[in-house]
Amino acid sequence: MKKIFPHLTQILSYFFVLLFCYAAVSKVLDFENFTVQLAQSPLLSAYAGIISYTVIIVEIVTVIILCFPQTRLWGLYASLGLMAGFTIYIYLILYYSDFVPCSCGGILEKLGWTEHLIFNIGCIIIALLAISSFYQRKQISLLKPLFYSALLIIMSTSIVILLFITSEHIIKKENNFTRRFLLHPVLEDKTFDLGMNSYYFAGLDGGKIYLGNVTAPLLLTTVDTSFVNLRSVKVDLDRENYPFRSLQLQVKDSNYYLYDGSIPVIFRGTLGNTIAHTISYRDAFFTQLVILDSSYFAIRTQSSHNRQYMLAALNLQQNPKLQMHPSILKKQIDGVFDSDGKLVTANNSSEILYAYTYRNEFIVLDQRLTILKKLHTIDTTTVAKIQTRRLSDGTHKMSAPPLKVNGAIAANHNLLFIHSNLKGKHESSQMWKKASVIDIYRTDEQEYVGSFYVDKQGESALSYMIADDRYLYVLIRNDLKRYRFREPISKYFKAGNAENLIQSRQKLINLKKK
């Protein structure tokens, strides 16, 4: 032992040389994967690009100065600072992050996060022992190095905590287009072969999924949510001699609706009865429609003056029936393609949502079409990247391929699911070839919740999706797929159910007072 003690500092220094040398080299050799792992960290996502370079440089510099006797003490202090930073990082992952990601790779890839924490604490002890040994060999008091060591540990941990706090704010509130893929937020558990790829979602209610069919618009198809039974019925219209262009189907509560905004006409029928009656004819032309009540609808229409898109409320029990809201959709270029988007209602909520197709924005409205929130997606396309021409007849045509930002959308309670068309920072090109990316946002405030993948079928991505409290349902080619929500997502719906219960009780109290 007496022979080893004079060389203890040197021996322990070489331990850190081997550790950091291997760590730095493994990161350099697999730099893309290292950057992607940092981008998926629940703590440091926003700084993945900077930190990926900084950590490698600091590790290499530490290895170099540890190799020379003149600078070895500085190397040991650097080792202590690094290990303290790594330790607090793992502690925050385990106890304060939204989710615990998969274990990192490298020399300790077989260890879990708890084992990593124990290993790092051991390395801190080794670094302190090496520093103490250095001063003892020179017969210098240990008070000074202990003070420096404590100060360095506090500084290192404070830096990591500060990065964590600011990264969380950037990712959730001021995202710089860095996605955070949640840890197993959905689990694919069932698939149903529909036999054709022309279906779309018409509704979801009472344990049943309702499907419309583009090639057979009068066909109402029902699949139970357990994916056991499929049933199709043909709807008979009380009048069929219209020049239909795009007859669409929706189901809400106990009714189904067929409509074509180019006629324009709306039919309504009762589930269980195959005859649908005309309830609106030539009241308003529209390109999209969502059902708010049996005679009350939100529509997207076009101005008769400049052909620009706008939203409107169609109430068949009022006079006038149509109430235009021209100020909701904002023109950027032509007022048509630049304001194109998808209009939906949120399941288990009274909210109406409109997500722009070519820019990073979605609008949350109440049933009177009053704007509640204007929120943004995490990509940076604030202005639609399109080129259009206005023809002599007043119509607009695309003159170049556009940059599509948002695809299919679905909403449940206070969460919005968006099929994104843009790849974010530090994302794998291989995964984008194999899967579609679904981004999740809150609709009650500006917050990006996270993302997850939905596997493609060959080169075919999902075409439609719809959600309830338990599942996300998607249509991909011929298949209807069911994904079960897990805790990273389902916890938001539990909160939503509690809020709905409180609101229902309050309404009952108010009713009793009256």
Side-chain angles (χ1 to χ4, degrees):
M1 189 69 182
K2 292 182 179 179
K3 293 181 179 179
I4 295 176
F5 187 78
H7 304 287
L8 185 61
T9 301
Q10 186 177 1
I11 293 170
L12 296 180
S13 297
Y14 287 150
F15 165 77
F16 285 113
V17 168
L18 291 173
L19 179 66
F20 293 132
C21 189
Y22 180 87
V25 170
S26 63
K27 291 180 180 73
V28 169
L29 293 178
D30 198 9
F31 184 73
E32 182 182 9
N33 186 50
F34 171 56
T35 307
V36 169
Q37 284 181 340
L38 274 179
Q40 301 318 311
S41 162
L43 302 189
L44 304 177
S45 307
Y47 303 110
I50 297 172
I51 291 177
S52 59
Y53 288 101
T54 302
V55 169
I56 292 173
I57 292 170
V58 171
E59 287 179 341
I60 292 173
V61 170
T62 301
V63 167
I64 293 172
I65 62 178
L66 279 169
C67 291
F68 297 98
Q70 300 89 335
T71 57
R72 185 163 293 152
L73 180 61
W74 292 104
L76 289 172
Y77 277 121
S79 301
L80 177 63
L82 275 172
M83 296 314 301
F86 294 157
T87 302
I88 192 64
Y89 170 75
I90 293 174
Y91 180 81
L92 291 172
I93 285 280
L94 286 171
Y95 297 103
Y96 291 96
S97 68
D98 291 339
F99 63 95
V100 178
C102 297
S103 181
C104 56
I107 193 170
L108 303 173
E109 62 181 347
K110 301 300 182 184
L111 298 183
W113 285 101
T114 302
E115 289 79 6
H116 271 285
L117 182 64
I118 296 170
F119 176 83
N120 284 4
I121 292 172
C123 288
I124 289 175
I125 295 172
I126 290 172
L128 289 171
L129 183 62
I131 293 170
S132 300
S133 173
F134 180 90
Y135 281 94
Q136 281 184 329
R137 192 162 50 87
K138 294 183 178 292
Q139 296 183 341
I140 300 174
S141 172
L142 294 180
L143 291 177
K144 194 173 182 180
L146 287 176
F147 172 76
Y148 287 154
S149 298
L151 185 62
L152 184 61
I153 290 172
I154 292 171
M155 288 176 58
S156 296
T157 54
S158 298
I159 289 171
V160 175
I161 291 171
L162 181 63
L163 289 173
F164 162 53
I165 294 170
T166 55
S167 177
E168 283 293 280
H169 180 77
I170 291 171
I171 289 295
K172 291 185 175 181
K173 309 293 184 181
E174 301 174 3
N175 197 285
N176 59 356
F177 207 7
T178 302
R179 281 193 175 89
R180 174 182 294 170
F181 287 92
L182 303 174
L183 185 63
H184 310 306
V186 296
L187 179 66
E188 181 184 346
D189 65 354
K190 278 201 174 183
T191 300
F192 193 95
D193 186 359
L194 296 171
M196 59 180 69
N197 63 359
S198 52
Y199 286 103
Y200 61 88
F201 289 115
L204 175 63
D205 187 37
K208 294 181 179 179
I209 305 164
Y210 298 97
L211 302 171
N213 195 316
V214 175
T215 57
L218 295 177
L219 201 66
L220 172 59
T221 301
T222 306
V223 182
D224 62 289
T225 52
S226 60
F227 285 21
V228 175
N229 300 310
L230 180 144
R231 179 174 176 267
S232 296
V233 295
K234 182 180 178 297
V235 175
D236 295 314
L237 305 178
D238 62 353
R239 180 180 173 184
E240 297 184 4
N241 58 338
Y242 294 117
F244 295 118
R245 294 182 185 177
S246 179
L247 193 61
Q248 301 274 331
L249 175 69
Q250 277 192 56
V251 176
K252 185 174 178 64
D253 299 327
S254 59
N255 296 320
Y256 61 89
Y257 303 78
L258 288 110
Y259 52 90
D260 189 332
S262 65
I263 306 297
V265 64
I266 303 174
F267 302 91
R268 184 179 66 213
T270 304
L271 290 172
N273 190 328
T274 60
I275 300 176
H277 300 275
T278 305
I279 59 171
S280 173
Y281 177 60
R282 301 189 67 83
D283 290 319
F285 290 90
F286 55 88
T287 55
Q288 291 187 44
L289 175 146
V290 295
I291 302 154
L292 305 179
D293 200 351
S294 58
S295 58
Y296 183 42
F297 310 90
I299 62 173
R300 189 186 72 176
T301 184
Q302 286 183 285
S303 168
S304 57
H305 301 291
N306 53 25
R307 309 297 296 168
Q308 293 180 10
Y309 283 141
M310 65 178 66
L311 299 185
L314 178 61
N315 191 335
L316 304 181
Q317 295 182 340
Q318 287 187 355
N319 190 20
K321 297 179 181 179
L322 187 66
Q323 184 179 2
M324 307 294 283
H325 294 268
S327 62
I328 296 176
L329 303 183
K330 297 299 183 182
K331 174 184 175 181
Q332 290 185 331
I333 300 169
D334 63 349
V336 181
F337 290 107
D338 66 344
S339 58
D340 192 13
K342 291 182 172 59
L343 181 69
V344 299
T345 53
N347 199 17
N348 295 308
S349 172
S350 59
E351 291 178 343
I352 305 167
L353 298 114
Y354 188 86
Y356 288 104
T357 300
Y358 302 110
R359 60 178 112 155
N360 65 345
E361 185 179 340
F362 61 92
I363 307 168
V364 185
L365 310 117
D366 64 17
Q367 297 214 344
R368 294 175 297 176
L369 297 190
T370 301
I371 296 176
L372 301 176
K373 302 279 184 182
K374 283 189 176 182
L375 305 172
H376 292 88
T377 59
I378 58 173
D379 61 89
T380 55
T381 311
T382 55
V383 178
K385 295 180 180 179
I386 59 172
Q387 296 180 33
T388 64
R389 287 179 57 191
R390 190 172 188 272
L391 305 183
S392 57
D393 61 357
T395 59
H396 292 257
K397 295 290 184 182
M398 288 278 193
S399 58
L403 179 69
K404 189 175 182 180
V405 177
N406 300 316
I409 67 173
N412 186 53
H413 286 298
N414 65 330
L415 288 190
L416 175 64
F417 301 85
I418 298 182
H419 175 206
S420 177
N421 287 79
L422 298 181
K423 186 170 73 170
K425 292 181 180 179
H426 318 302
E427 291 180 21
S428 168
S429 298
Q430 289 298 112
M431 281 304 300
W432 269 82
K433 292 178 182 177
K434 297 189 297 183
S436 301
V437 172
I438 309 299
D439 296 327
I440 314 167
Y441 302 92
R442 290 182 62 163
T443 60
D444 55 346
E445 62 177 283
Q446 181 64 62
E447 181 177 322
Y448 162 64
V449 175
S451 303
F452 61 90
Y453 290 113
V454 170
D455 290 337
K456 295 180 179 178
Q457 288 192 10
E459 295 183 359
S460 298
L462 65 91
S463 51
Y464 302 95
M465 58 182 176
I466 196 169
D468 61 16
D469 286 358
R470 296 185 64 192
Y471 301 107
L472 176 75
Y473 302 93
V474 302
L475 290 171
I476 308 177
R477 290 207 308 209
N478 295 354
D479 288 342
L480 169 62
K481 290 181 176 289
R482 190 179 79 180
Y483 292 83
R484 179 165 55 85
F485 289 126
R486 302 184 71 186
E487 183 62 21
I489 298 175
S490 61
K491 64 182 181 182
Y492 289 92
F493 300 150
K494 293 174 185 175
N497 285 329
E499 185 178 342
N500 289 342
L501 182 60
I502 292 170
Q503 291 176 352
S504 298
R505 287 176 177 173
Q506 188 61 47
K507 287 179 181 178
L508 183 60
I509 292 170
N510 294 337
L511 187 62
K512 288 180 178 179
K513 287 180 179 179
K514 293 179 181 179

